Structures are given as structure tokens and as C-alpha cells.
Amino acid sequence: MILIVDDVPENVYSLQKVLEFHGFQVDTAFSGEEALRKILSKQYVLILLDVQMPGIDGFEVAENIRGFKKAKDTAVVFLSANYTDINMIIKGYNQGAVDYITKPVDTDLLLLKVKTIYKLYEAKQDNSRQNQEILVLYEHAKEYNQTLLGKIERFKQVFDLAGVAQWEYYTENERFIPSAQLNKLFNGDEDISVSKNDFLAKLGLAEDFLTAEPYTATEIRRMSCQIERNSESKEYKILIQPEFEEEKLKRILGVVQQVDDALV
């Protein structure tokens, strides 16, 4: 909505008629005091504000509404018949005006400025809504991540207590990826990585264990393989899941559990 403020009714009604003819909603005020009351209670996209009015003039109105929450996104355009005083024009911009139009008002120029201000206002509102939506999504994601991290930490604690650790092996580049639990299980420190050879040696497995049969056999490709090995007087259970791509072994996923006497 647009608020037209002028102490001369003829000026107000002529601008109101033009703007309403072009589809804009218009409200009116005939003094600075009335304008302030309306700005306190309503939200406007634009205020067309006459500079020279008795009582509270246009400059005072602009200065007073700076702290109004409802007017924080409202554009102010000053209207004045005094277009030769550069100091008044500068003062208008210093009071927060986005433009300064001289009287008599060129309606074509006014409509161009009004349409531009409305487009900027709508773009700002869209950005504000998008930013708010992004903020809400961010908070949801943050909350979800905290919940997920909590679950991961609980699973990690359970795995640590049960002596369970995970690992991956990629056959194409022979890359062995131990989990922090596996490092801790074998080295006592989750930051010291276990190599593939150390892993096989500790379990008493042959060096070609990860690439040998029966993993490539079609009949067991979807089966898990459980093996028990004794190493250093410790017993481990290994659960292995091979993954194939076009009949070729691509990756092996594994879980290792150290079996205590109390659990056997």
C-alpha cells in the first residue's frame, strides 16, 4: 500500500486517482501528525511525503519513522515545489529518502518510480522469505546432525564395548581402510592405522586371503562368510560381505569381533 501525505487535499486526490487507476492501493494523510499515527498502525511499501507542511513537516516525519518496526522496509519519496534549493534535496536524502520528486508531479515519471520501488520491495521480501526458509532448514539439519552424531557415538561405544570393528578392502587398488575401532582394537589407538598386512597377520590369515576364492564364486556372492582364527592367544570372529560388479569382485566389507572367554 502507498501512503500519500500532503496538507493540500487537491494534491492528494490527484495522485491518489492516478495510482489507483494503475492498480495500486492508496491511503492518505493530510498532516504529519496523521501520517505518523497511520505509519504506527499500518505497513506501507511507499510513502509519498510532502516536505513543506504546517506542524510536523515531511523531514520530521521521515526522521521520526526511522525507528518504527513497521516502516523498516518502507521507501520514502519526498515531494516538493522547491526544486532549486540543493540543501533541501540533500537534507531529504539524509533523512532516508530513496528519491526526491518536484512539483508539479510528472505522473509518468512518478509511475515509473513507484513500479521500480514495488519491484525492489517484492524482491527483498522474496529474499527475506527464502533466507527464513533456509534458516529453518539449516536448524532442522543441525538438529538432525546432532541426533545422528549422538547415535553414531552410542553405536561406537557399543562396538567398543563388544570388541567390534569394521574395515573395507578395494580390490582394484588394493586399498585397505580400517575404522577407528579397528585401529583401537589392534593398536590401542584409534589414530594409528592398521595396515592390510598387519591386519591379516594378527588374524593369522594368508596374504592372499582378501583376493582368493571362494569370494569370486557365483554361488556365494550374496552370502556372508564367517571365519574363526586364533592369533596371539586371542580369538576373533570375522564377518565378510563381498561386493561384485559385473561378476568381478570389487569390494569386501568386513566386521571383526574379539571374542572374550566370558562371551564364548
Side-chain angles (χ1 to χ4, degrees), residues 26-242:
V26 177
D27 198 1
T28 61
F30 300 97
S31 68
E33 293 86 351
E34 185 183 3
L36 288 174
R37 289 195 298 270
K38 290 199 170 185
I39 297 167
L40 273 172
S41 61
K42 298 180 182 179
Q43 189 167 356
Y44 299 99
V45 175
L46 169 63
I47 301 173
L48 296 175
L49 186 56
D50 184 33
V51 170
Q52 297 167 307
M53 294 184 294
I56 299 177
D57 64 19
F59 292 138
E60 291 176 287
V61 172
E63 185 176 3
N64 276 285
I65 68 173
R66 282 182 177 181
F68 288 7
K69 184 176 180 181
K70 286 185 176 293
K72 66 183 182 68
D73 294 326
T74 303
V76 176
V77 173
F78 280 122
L79 305 175
S80 176
N82 191 348
Y83 58 89
T84 59
D85 190 341
I86 190 65
N87 292 323
M88 289 191 66
I89 295 175
I90 293 173
K91 184 177 180 180
Y93 285 116
N94 287 337
Q95 294 295 346
V98 298
D99 214 333
Y100 199 107
I101 299 178
T102 58
K103 296 179 180 179
V105 175
D106 183 327
T107 55
D108 290 334
L109 178 63
L110 175 66
L111 285 170
L112 179 62
K113 291 179 183 293
V114 170
K115 289 176 182 178
T116 301
I117 288 170
Y118 260 79
K119 286 180 180 179
L120 292 173
Y121 178 85
E122 290 168 356
K124 187 174 182 179
Q125 296 304 306
D126 286 342
N127 287 336
S128 179
R129 281 191 292 270
Q130 290 174 6
N131 290 338
Q132 188 62 36
E133 289 172 1
I134 290 171
L135 182 61
V136 170
L137 290 173
Y138 170 77
E139 290 300 326
H140 284 318
K142 184 178 177 182
E143 183 179 343
Y144 173 78
N145 286 339
Q146 290 297 327
T147 303
L148 184 60
L149 287 173
K151 288 181 179 179
I152 291 172
E153 184 60 31
R154 287 195 293 273
F155 278 126
K156 182 177 181 295
Q157 291 172 357
V158 171
F159 279 8
D160 286 343
L161 290 172
V164 177
Q166 311 84 43
W167 52 274
E168 298 176 69
Y169 178 71
Y170 292 83
T171 58
E172 186 175 359
N173 55 11
E174 299 185 356
R175 186 184 179 195
F176 179 77
I177 305 176
S179 66
Q181 292 100 324
L182 186 65
N183 293 334
K184 189 175 181 180
L185 183 64
F186 285 166
N187 288 335
D189 189 334
E190 62 182 28
D191 295 324
I192 301 177
S193 293
V194 176
S195 68
K196 181 187 73 172
N197 291 337
D198 287 342
F199 169 73
L200 295 173
K202 283 184 179 290
L203 296 177
L205 300 172
E207 291 185 1
D208 65 347
F209 176 78
L210 296 176
T211 56
E213 298 287 351
Y215 304 120
T216 55
T218 303
E219 59 270 17
I220 61 95
R221 62 180 299 172
R222 293 185 178 87
M223 294 175 60
S224 296
C225 179
Q226 182 169 304
I227 304 170
E228 294 186 9
R229 290 288 186 274
N230 290 323
S231 174
E232 300 175 357
S233 301
K234 295 179 181 179
E235 183 177 347
Y236 297 91
K237 287 189 176 181
I238 311 169
L239 189 65
I240 296 172
Q241 176 62 56

